[in-house]
Amino acid sequence: MTGEPDGPEDRLRRFATIWSRAVFPVTSTSLTRPELEQQLLPLAWRLSDALKARTFDAAAGQTVGAALVAAHCTDPEALSRSLDCVDAYLVLYCGEDGHQEALRTRSARLQHAMAAGFAGALRQRTLAEQEAISQAALNARSTVAEALHASEARFRAVFEGAAIGIGIADLEGNILQVNGALLRMFGGSEQGVRGRKVPEWTHPEDAPQVWRLYEELVRGEREHYHVEKAFYRPDGTALWTNLTVSLLRDADGRPQYQLALMEDTTERRLLNLRLRYEATHDALTGLPNRTLFFERLEKAVSGGNDQRFGLCYLDLDGFKTINDSLGHAAGDRLLVEVADRLQSCATAPGEMVARLGGDEFVALTTGPDTEREVDALADRIMNALVTPVRIDGRELTVRGSIGIVEGPAGERGPAEVLRSADITMYRAKSAGGNRFELADPEADARAITRHGLTTALPAALDRGEFFIEYQPLVHLGDGSVHGAEALVRWLHPQHGVLGPDRFIPLAEHTGLIVPLGRWVLEQSVRQARQWQERHADSGPLRINVNLSPCQLTHPGLVQDTVDILEREGLDAEALCLEVTESALIGADDDLLKPLRRLAEMGVDIALDDFGTGYSNLANLRRLPVSILKLDRSFTQGMQQFPADPVDLKIVEGIVSLAHSLDLAVTVEGVETGAQAEQLRILGCDTAQGWYYARPGPPERLHELALVDATG
């Protein structure tokens, strides 16, 4: 023993060995077991490749199933043992380090494909036998005059030795002859078979056309027909068959007999039903899975005009915490308990519960009055979750958020309905959870738009769809243009110009805010340098650039700023970075460190939206800021004369405090001359707002600066 792990070829050969040992006892072949193993080895390779393929290929499993028939493994037990081997050992020996749940799902689908391929190949073989038998019967009838004895011998050999059941009856339905294979299908009693006429072999699951086709055949209007038909055995069990019935005529062409050929498909049918159940039900909870739910939902939303549907989309609140703290085994037990409770809530006709995956469940109700029923269903679900779940001696509180969609059938497709329910569920979760919300088309449209903007953001930056507008900062003492604030805009191909409130939160959520913020800083610094070159005689124009909280935590903030200033040739004193007050509430030294380094370089740090973050004013001393930007809410009362005395006192106090700490004060949202004059009297340093200019292209600031210089 070398101690080295087995390679893929060794594991495949072990799998083929196990497979050959399982099927060899039930295989009609002259090969030895090692020879059979050599035949199965390439089939094992084929299954292994299909298991690990990027996309699922059902043809691989079908080919393997058909190859079993070609290798004379035609006994149903051989198929059953082969599927058991694949189920138990394929992932074990061929899955390597892949995701086990995904591999087992792929293995189950391969088993289904193998069964389909096996059934198809066996069917072709059976049809070939049936054709041979039918041809032998016709040949026997046409040549009876010339070689009656030889023909009878050949027909008898085929009749008795065939692997499928054969029966001959007259046109009145009296059964005249049956072969051994047919007797074995019905339990071995010839009297039990021949004692009943053909029309008596009815079954409740007979298709409507079965007996119509039979009547047409015995009347001579049809030569043959082929149907799937069930029979009762003497012990009451069902026998499912592929049944082919042909009309035999005499030498003059008159109808004389009917010939029935039966293939026993009971085991195949049971196997297909089992595989169908496994493919449409969740392995953990036993509930219908996403596949079966979509089938039911599609049927519900495409119903008649008088039909309606209601859908509850449930997501458990805080389920990830349970998995992380107690382990996935505890999480699985919780899901099983929740599934049982949900199933007890949807027992009325037209109701079903399914698990979509993870901790997401859906409940569907259909009928003419779902507007009332879906609300009642959601109430039952919420009440069912109230009682804590006991797991390993702990009582776990279960909470859930539900999105409800209800409406008439025929207006929306299943994907649209589920998307609306998903959006509504997240709206309930955002509102605090443990509640349900009704779908709102306008809210859905906003959520879809947000998603579209989110996905378009990365490409928009690459395509140059962003641009910057500049709003002047005016010195209140002499009315001169002090500088400008850079405000980024998005020229969206469909939605037009979007303000930062529409896309900055999305950029922060996706992480794109860092490259976008770097681009804004680079463009703004370059523009400030151009302004300085134009206005060298009137003093430098400063540029204010907003920083997102996400940028504050990015390790490259300081270096990026230094690189951009040096590359564009702008002094650090001409740059001001604006940070919202809420971003610095409770900030520790690690968060403040990059701001301190920038301040030490000469970059001004402005505390934006001051007064909205409920911060402790004493904290101003520890923050590396040199400018307070007073939020517009404090100065709105000054737009009319006389000004609100309370606002005057508040602003006067803030300005006094700021100046005592050597901080300059900038005011946003100045819209009237009275407001500007009052702020000047109170001692504010600079201001910006529509009274001076709206945000616009950089050329507008150039024009304003020229007016100041010549005025």
Side-chain angles (χ1 to χ4, degrees), residues 453-490:
L453 294 178
T454 301
T455 56
L457 268 171
L461 184 58
D462 294 337
R463 289 195 296 261
E465 294 178 3
F466 293 99
F467 67 97
I468 299 175
E469 291 186 329
Y470 300 88
Q471 186 170 38
L473 287 161
V474 177
H475 197 284
L476 286 171
D478 57 12
S480 63
V481 176
H482 182 68
E485 180 181 0
L487 300 169
V488 64
R489 307 286 191 252
W490 182 2

Short mmCIF file of all heavy atoms in Angstrom, two decimals, residues 453-490:
data_model
loop_
_atom_site.label_atom_id
_atom_site.label_comp_id
_atom_site.label_asym_id
_atom_site.label_seq_id
_atom_site.Cartn_x
_atom_site.Cartn_y
_atom_site.Cartn_z
N LEU A 453 -31.64 49.45 -12.72
CA LEU A 453 -30.57 50.43 -12.55
C LEU A 453 -29.34 49.77 -11.92
O LEU A 453 -28.20 50.07 -12.30
CB LEU A 453 -31.05 51.58 -11.67
CG LEU A 453 -32.15 52.48 -12.27
CD1 LEU A 453 -32.56 53.54 -11.26
CD2 LEU A 453 -31.70 53.11 -13.56
N THR A 454 -29.58 48.88 -10.95
CA THR A 454 -28.46 48.22 -10.28
C THR A 454 -27.64 47.40 -11.27
O THR A 454 -26.40 47.46 -11.26
CB THR A 454 -28.99 47.31 -9.16
OG1 THR A 454 -29.72 48.10 -8.22
CG2 THR A 454 -27.84 46.64 -8.42
N THR A 455 -28.31 46.65 -12.12
CA THR A 455 -27.58 45.81 -13.08
C THR A 455 -26.92 46.64 -14.18
O THR A 455 -25.94 46.20 -14.77
CB THR A 455 -28.53 44.79 -13.71
OG1 THR A 455 -29.65 45.48 -14.32
CG2 THR A 455 -29.08 43.83 -12.66
N ALA A 456 -27.47 47.84 -14.44
CA ALA A 456 -26.89 48.67 -15.52
C ALA A 456 -25.75 49.54 -15.04
O ALA A 456 -25.01 50.10 -15.86
CB ALA A 456 -27.99 49.56 -16.12
N LEU A 457 -25.57 49.68 -13.71
CA LEU A 457 -24.55 50.59 -13.18
C LEU A 457 -23.13 50.30 -13.68
O LEU A 457 -22.44 51.22 -14.14
CB LEU A 457 -24.59 50.56 -11.65
CG LEU A 457 -25.49 51.59 -10.97
CD1 LEU A 457 -25.60 51.30 -9.48
CD2 LEU A 457 -24.93 52.99 -11.19
N PRO A 458 -22.63 49.06 -13.58
CA PRO A 458 -21.23 48.83 -14.00
C PRO A 458 -20.97 49.22 -15.45
O PRO A 458 -19.97 49.89 -15.74
CB PRO A 458 -21.04 47.33 -13.76
CG PRO A 458 -22.08 46.96 -12.74
CD PRO A 458 -23.25 47.83 -13.04
N ALA A 459 -21.89 48.83 -16.34
CA ALA A 459 -21.69 49.16 -17.75
C ALA A 459 -21.82 50.65 -17.99
O ALA A 459 -21.17 51.21 -18.89
CB ALA A 459 -22.69 48.39 -18.61
N ALA A 460 -22.67 51.34 -17.19
CA ALA A 460 -22.86 52.78 -17.38
C ALA A 460 -21.57 53.54 -17.13
O ALA A 460 -21.26 54.50 -17.84
CB ALA A 460 -23.96 53.27 -16.43
N LEU A 461 -20.82 53.12 -16.12
CA LEU A 461 -19.54 53.79 -15.84
C LEU A 461 -18.55 53.55 -16.98
O LEU A 461 -17.83 54.47 -17.40
CB LEU A 461 -18.97 53.28 -14.51
CG LEU A 461 -17.68 53.95 -14.03
CD1 LEU A 461 -17.89 55.44 -13.86
CD2 LEU A 461 -17.22 53.32 -12.71
N ASP A 462 -18.54 52.33 -17.52
CA ASP A 462 -17.64 52.03 -18.64
C ASP A 462 -18.03 52.79 -19.91
O ASP A 462 -17.16 53.17 -20.69
CB ASP A 462 -17.63 50.52 -18.93
CG ASP A 462 -17.04 49.72 -17.77
OD1 ASP A 462 -16.26 50.30 -17.00
OD2 ASP A 462 -17.38 48.52 -17.64
N ARG A 463 -19.34 53.01 -20.08
CA ARG A 463 -19.81 53.69 -21.31
C ARG A 463 -19.79 55.21 -21.18
O ARG A 463 -20.15 55.90 -22.13
CB ARG A 463 -21.24 53.23 -21.63
CG ARG A 463 -21.35 51.81 -22.13
CD ARG A 463 -22.71 51.56 -22.78
NE ARG A 463 -23.79 51.70 -21.81
CZ ARG A 463 -24.38 50.67 -21.21
NH1 ARG A 463 -23.98 49.44 -21.47
NH2 ARG A 463 -25.37 50.86 -20.36
N GLY A 464 -19.39 55.73 -20.03
CA GLY A 464 -19.32 57.18 -19.86
C GLY A 464 -20.67 57.85 -19.77
O GLY A 464 -20.84 58.98 -20.26
N GLU A 465 -21.65 57.19 -19.13
CA GLU A 465 -22.99 57.76 -19.02
C GLU A 465 -23.12 58.75 -17.85
O GLU A 465 -24.15 59.39 -17.69
CB GLU A 465 -24.03 56.64 -18.88
CG GLU A 465 -24.14 55.78 -20.13
CD GLU A 465 -25.14 54.63 -19.96
OE1 GLU A 465 -25.78 54.55 -18.90
OE2 GLU A 465 -25.26 53.82 -20.90
N PHE A 466 -22.10 58.85 -17.00
CA PHE A 466 -22.15 59.77 -15.87
C PHE A 466 -21.53 61.12 -16.26
O PHE A 466 -20.60 61.18 -17.06
CB PHE A 466 -21.41 59.18 -14.66
CG PHE A 466 -22.08 57.97 -14.08
CD1 PHE A 466 -21.64 56.70 -14.40
CD2 PHE A 466 -23.16 58.10 -13.22
CE1 PHE A 466 -22.26 55.58 -13.87
CE2 PHE A 466 -23.78 57.00 -12.69
CZ PHE A 466 -23.33 55.72 -13.02
N PHE A 467 -22.06 62.18 -15.69
CA PHE A 467 -21.48 63.50 -15.88
C PHE A 467 -21.66 64.29 -14.59
O PHE A 467 -22.39 63.87 -13.68
CB PHE A 467 -22.11 64.23 -17.07
CG PHE A 467 -23.55 64.60 -16.88
CD1 PHE A 467 -23.91 65.88 -16.46
CD2 PHE A 467 -24.57 63.68 -17.13
CE1 PHE A 467 -25.24 66.23 -16.29
CE2 PHE A 467 -25.91 64.02 -16.96
CZ PHE A 467 -26.24 65.31 -16.53
N ILE A 468 -20.98 65.43 -14.49
CA ILE A 468 -20.97 66.20 -13.25
C ILE A 468 -21.50 67.60 -13.52
O ILE A 468 -21.14 68.25 -14.51
CB ILE A 468 -19.54 66.29 -12.67
CG1 ILE A 468 -19.02 64.88 -12.36
CG2 ILE A 468 -19.52 67.15 -11.40
CD1 ILE A 468 -17.57 64.85 -11.90
N GLU A 469 -22.41 68.05 -12.62
CA GLU A 469 -22.85 69.43 -12.60
C GLU A 469 -22.26 70.11 -11.37
O GLU A 469 -21.98 69.44 -10.37
CB GLU A 469 -24.37 69.52 -12.59
CG GLU A 469 -25.00 69.07 -13.90
CD GLU A 469 -26.49 69.29 -13.94
OE1 GLU A 469 -27.14 69.23 -12.87
OE2 GLU A 469 -27.02 69.53 -15.03
N TYR A 470 -22.10 71.41 -11.45
CA TYR A 470 -21.43 72.15 -10.38
C TYR A 470 -22.35 73.25 -9.88
O TYR A 470 -22.91 74.03 -10.67
CB TYR A 470 -20.12 72.75 -10.89
CG TYR A 470 -19.14 71.71 -11.38
CD1 TYR A 470 -19.17 71.26 -12.71
CD2 TYR A 470 -18.22 71.14 -10.52
CE1 TYR A 470 -18.29 70.29 -13.16
CE2 TYR A 470 -17.33 70.16 -10.97
CZ TYR A 470 -17.37 69.74 -12.29
OH TYR A 470 -16.50 68.78 -12.73
N GLN A 471 -22.52 73.31 -8.54
CA GLN A 471 -23.32 74.38 -7.93
C GLN A 471 -22.38 75.33 -7.20
O GLN A 471 -21.60 74.90 -6.34
CB GLN A 471 -24.35 73.81 -6.96
CG GLN A 471 -25.29 74.89 -6.42
CD GLN A 471 -26.46 74.31 -5.65
OE1 GLN A 471 -26.28 73.34 -4.93
NE2 GLN A 471 -27.63 74.91 -5.80
N PRO A 472 -22.45 76.63 -7.51
CA PRO A 472 -21.50 77.58 -6.92
C PRO A 472 -21.63 77.68 -5.40
O PRO A 472 -22.72 77.56 -4.83
CB PRO A 472 -21.88 78.91 -7.58
CG PRO A 472 -22.65 78.54 -8.80
CD PRO A 472 -23.35 77.26 -8.48
N LEU A 473 -20.50 77.91 -4.75
CA LEU A 473 -20.42 78.25 -3.34
C LEU A 473 -20.06 79.73 -3.27
O LEU A 473 -19.02 80.15 -3.79
CB LEU A 473 -19.35 77.41 -2.63
CG LEU A 473 -19.69 75.93 -2.41
CD1 LEU A 473 -18.43 75.14 -2.14
CD2 LEU A 473 -20.65 75.79 -1.24
N VAL A 474 -20.94 80.52 -2.65
CA VAL A 474 -20.81 81.98 -2.66
C VAL A 474 -20.40 82.46 -1.28
O VAL A 474 -20.96 82.03 -0.26
CB VAL A 474 -22.13 82.63 -3.11
CG1 VAL A 474 -22.02 84.16 -3.05
CG2 VAL A 474 -22.50 82.17 -4.51
N HIS A 475 -19.42 83.39 -1.24
CA HIS A 475 -18.99 84.01 0.02
C HIS A 475 -20.03 85.04 0.43
O HIS A 475 -20.33 85.98 -0.33
CB HIS A 475 -17.62 84.66 -0.16
CG HIS A 475 -16.94 84.95 1.14
ND1 HIS A 475 -17.31 85.98 1.95
CD2 HIS A 475 -15.91 84.31 1.77
CE1 HIS A 475 -16.55 86.00 3.04
NE2 HIS A 475 -15.68 84.99 2.95
N LEU A 476 -20.64 84.87 1.62
CA LEU A 476 -21.72 85.75 2.04
C LEU A 476 -21.23 87.16 2.36
O LEU A 476 -22.02 88.12 2.33
CB LEU A 476 -22.42 85.16 3.28
CG LEU A 476 -23.32 83.95 3.00
CD1 LEU A 476 -23.78 83.31 4.30
CD2 LEU A 476 -24.51 84.34 2.15
N GLY A 477 -19.93 87.31 2.64
CA GLY A 477 -19.43 88.64 2.98
C GLY A 477 -19.43 89.58 1.79
O GLY A 477 -19.93 90.70 1.88
N ASP A 478 -18.91 89.14 0.64
CA ASP A 478 -18.80 90.03 -0.52
C ASP A 478 -19.53 89.50 -1.75
O ASP A 478 -19.50 90.12 -2.82
CB ASP A 478 -17.33 90.28 -0.86
CG ASP A 478 -16.58 88.97 -1.13
OD1 ASP A 478 -17.23 87.91 -1.27
OD2 ASP A 478 -15.33 89.01 -1.20
N GLY A 479 -20.20 88.33 -1.65
CA GLY A 479 -20.95 87.79 -2.78
C GLY A 479 -20.11 87.19 -3.86
O GLY A 479 -20.62 86.87 -4.95
N SER A 480 -18.81 86.97 -3.62
CA SER A 480 -17.95 86.39 -4.65
C SER A 480 -18.11 84.88 -4.70
O SER A 480 -18.50 84.23 -3.73
CB SER A 480 -16.49 86.74 -4.34
OG SER A 480 -16.09 86.16 -3.11
N VAL A 481 -17.81 84.32 -5.88
CA VAL A 481 -17.85 82.86 -6.07
C VAL A 481 -16.62 82.27 -5.40
O VAL A 481 -15.48 82.55 -5.79
CB VAL A 481 -17.91 82.49 -7.55
CG1 VAL A 481 -17.85 80.97 -7.70
CG2 VAL A 481 -19.17 83.04 -8.19
N HIS A 482 -16.86 81.46 -4.39
CA HIS A 482 -15.78 80.87 -3.59
C HIS A 482 -15.30 79.54 -4.18
O HIS A 482 -14.17 79.15 -3.99
CB HIS A 482 -16.32 80.68 -2.16
CG HIS A 482 -15.32 80.14 -1.19
ND1 HIS A 482 -14.21 80.84 -0.77
CD2 HIS A 482 -15.26 78.93 -0.54
CE1 HIS A 482 -13.53 80.12 0.09
NE2 HIS A 482 -14.14 78.95 0.24
N GLY A 483 -16.21 78.87 -4.85
CA GLY A 483 -15.90 77.56 -5.42
C GLY A 483 -17.18 76.89 -5.86
O GLY A 483 -18.18 77.56 -6.18
N ALA A 484 -17.21 75.58 -5.87
CA ALA A 484 -18.41 74.86 -6.32
C ALA A 484 -18.42 73.45 -5.72
O ALA A 484 -17.37 72.89 -5.39
CB ALA A 484 -18.45 74.77 -7.84
N GLU A 485 -19.64 72.93 -5.59
CA GLU A 485 -19.82 71.54 -5.16
C GLU A 485 -20.07 70.69 -6.40
O GLU A 485 -20.91 71.04 -7.25
CB GLU A 485 -20.98 71.40 -4.18
CG GLU A 485 -21.19 69.95 -3.73
CD GLU A 485 -22.36 69.78 -2.77
OE1 GLU A 485 -23.01 70.79 -2.44
OE2 GLU A 485 -22.61 68.62 -2.35
N ALA A 486 -19.36 69.58 -6.51
CA ALA A 486 -19.52 68.66 -7.64
C ALA A 486 -20.67 67.69 -7.34
O ALA A 486 -20.68 67.02 -6.31
CB ALA A 486 -18.24 67.88 -7.89
N LEU A 487 -21.65 67.64 -8.26
CA LEU A 487 -22.83 66.79 -8.09
C LEU A 487 -22.94 65.87 -9.30
O LEU A 487 -23.14 66.34 -10.43
CB LEU A 487 -24.09 67.65 -7.95
CG LEU A 487 -24.08 68.62 -6.75
CD1 LEU A 487 -25.23 69.61 -6.85
CD2 LEU A 487 -24.14 67.84 -5.45
N VAL A 488 -22.80 64.56 -9.08
CA VAL A 488 -22.79 63.61 -10.18
C VAL A 488 -24.20 63.32 -10.65
O VAL A 488 -25.16 63.28 -9.87
CB VAL A 488 -22.07 62.30 -9.75
CG1 VAL A 488 -22.83 61.59 -8.64
CG2 VAL A 488 -21.87 61.37 -10.95
N ARG A 489 -24.36 63.14 -11.96
CA ARG A 489 -25.64 62.79 -12.59
C ARG A 489 -25.42 61.58 -13.50
O ARG A 489 -24.32 61.30 -13.95
CB ARG A 489 -26.17 63.96 -13.42
CG ARG A 489 -26.27 65.29 -12.68
CD ARG A 489 -27.43 65.28 -11.72
NE ARG A 489 -27.70 66.60 -11.19
CZ ARG A 489 -27.43 66.96 -9.94
NH1 ARG A 489 -26.82 66.10 -9.12
NH2 ARG A 489 -27.74 68.16 -9.50
N TRP A 490 -26.53 60.87 -13.77
CA TRP A 490 -26.48 59.71 -14.67
C TRP A 490 -27.41 59.97 -15.83
O TRP A 490 -28.62 60.10 -15.64
CB TRP A 490 -26.89 58.46 -13.91
CG TRP A 490 -26.83 57.18 -14.72
CD1 TRP A 490 -26.42 57.01 -16.00
CD2 TRP A 490 -27.22 55.87 -14.28
NE1 TRP A 490 -26.50 55.70 -16.40
CE2 TRP A 490 -26.99 54.97 -15.35
CE3 TRP A 490 -27.72 55.37 -13.08
CZ2 TRP A 490 -27.27 53.61 -15.25
CZ3 TRP A 490 -28.00 54.01 -12.99
CH2 TRP A 490 -27.77 53.14 -14.06
#
